[in-house]
Amino acid sequence: MKPVDLARKLRRDAAFEPAALNRGKEALMAAIRQEVEPARRPTIIPQLPYADIRAALLFLERAFGFREIPASRMEGADGVIHHSLVEFGDGVIGIGTQGAHGAVSPQSGGLESQYVSVAVADVFAHYQRALAAGARIAKEPREHAGGYRSYEAFDPEGHRWRFVHERLREVPAKA
């Protein structure tokens, strides 16, 4: 509900029950904040090249739980997807055409040059999902000395994905 409509409703409700005003203030403030504050998008968006973007999108969704941002899809007249964005939590990654900007997938290039870390709530449940979807596991789930859990998997084109316990999302404060 838009803030102006919520304010009108609150005014009507308060006329019959004054306590409604106190209960509704927080909802009204949340609605105002949501309308005034722009949707926050990441300022750093890594791009990963794929030979078959359609297959990559399906795999990333099925195995790892990513969600394509439909409005970001760039598709040619021939039906070939040239670029799209996927999101997981508040992170976004671009999925692009093989060879764009000189980048190639590990499958085509013959070597791994990077890995992507993704924070998940339950490493073991995420691992089971990836395994069931056919992900090739690079490192089984394990507990680390620092008290966190992780596992690593490859997507079909050889990009390495590292899934870590959500607790590691916390970035130390600037000094």
Side-chain angles (χ1 to χ4, degrees), residues 105-137:
S105 73
Q107 181 181 46
S108 298
L111 69 122
E112 297 172 43
S113 62
Q114 82 288 319
Y115 66 92
V116 180
S117 289
V118 180
V120 297
D122 184 336
V123 169
F124 296 110
H126 195 274
Y127 166 77
Q128 290 300 323
R129 175 187 182 145
L131 205 56
R136 189 167 46 102
I137 304 302

Side-chain angles (χ1 to χ4, degrees), residues 11-175:
R11 193 175 10 208
R12 282 192 307 269
D13 292 349
F16 297 104
E17 182 190 358
L21 186 59
N22 286 334
R23 288 195 310 268
K25 276 197 282 190
E26 186 56 40
L28 178 59
M29 292 309 296
I32 290 169
R33 278 192 302 274
Q34 187 174 4
E35 191 169 282
V36 172
E37 294 174 3
R40 185 169 177 262
R41 298 307 282 174
T43 57
I44 298 173
I45 303 173
Q47 305 289 319
L48 297 178
Y50 285 90
D52 186 344
I53 294 172
R54 191 174 305 278
L57 291 169
L58 291 170
F59 178 83
L60 293 172
E61 182 178 322
R62 187 178 71 251
F64 298 154
F66 281 85
R67 189 183 73 75
E68 181 181 12
I69 301 172
S72 71
R73 184 181 278 200
M74 294 168 50
E75 194 168 329
D78 55 359
V80 173
I81 302 171
H82 298 284
H83 184 269
S84 193
L85 296 172
V86 294
E87 62 185 350
F88 188 96
D90 59 1
V92 175
I93 294 177
I95 305 299
T97 305
Q98 174 86 338
H101 307 283
V104 295
S105 73
Q107 181 181 46
S108 298
L111 69 122
E112 297 172 43
S113 62
Q114 82 288 319
Y115 66 92
V116 180
S117 289
V118 180
V120 297
D122 184 336
V123 169
F124 296 110
H126 195 274
Y127 166 77
Q128 290 300 323
R129 175 187 182 145
L131 205 56
R136 189 167 46 102
I137 304 302
K139 290 186 179 178
E140 298 287 327
R142 63 189 178 117
E143 299 279 338
H144 295 271
Y148 69 94
R149 295 175 282 302
S150 74
Y151 82 95
E152 295 180 16
F154 293 105
D155 66 28
E157 292 199 25
H159 294 285
R160 183 181 290 258
W161 296 84
R162 181 174 181 252
F163 297 94
V164 297
H165 187 260
E166 215 169 38
R167 189 184 73 148
L168 292 182
R169 290 182 60 187
E170 298 170 9
V171 176
K174 293 179 184 179

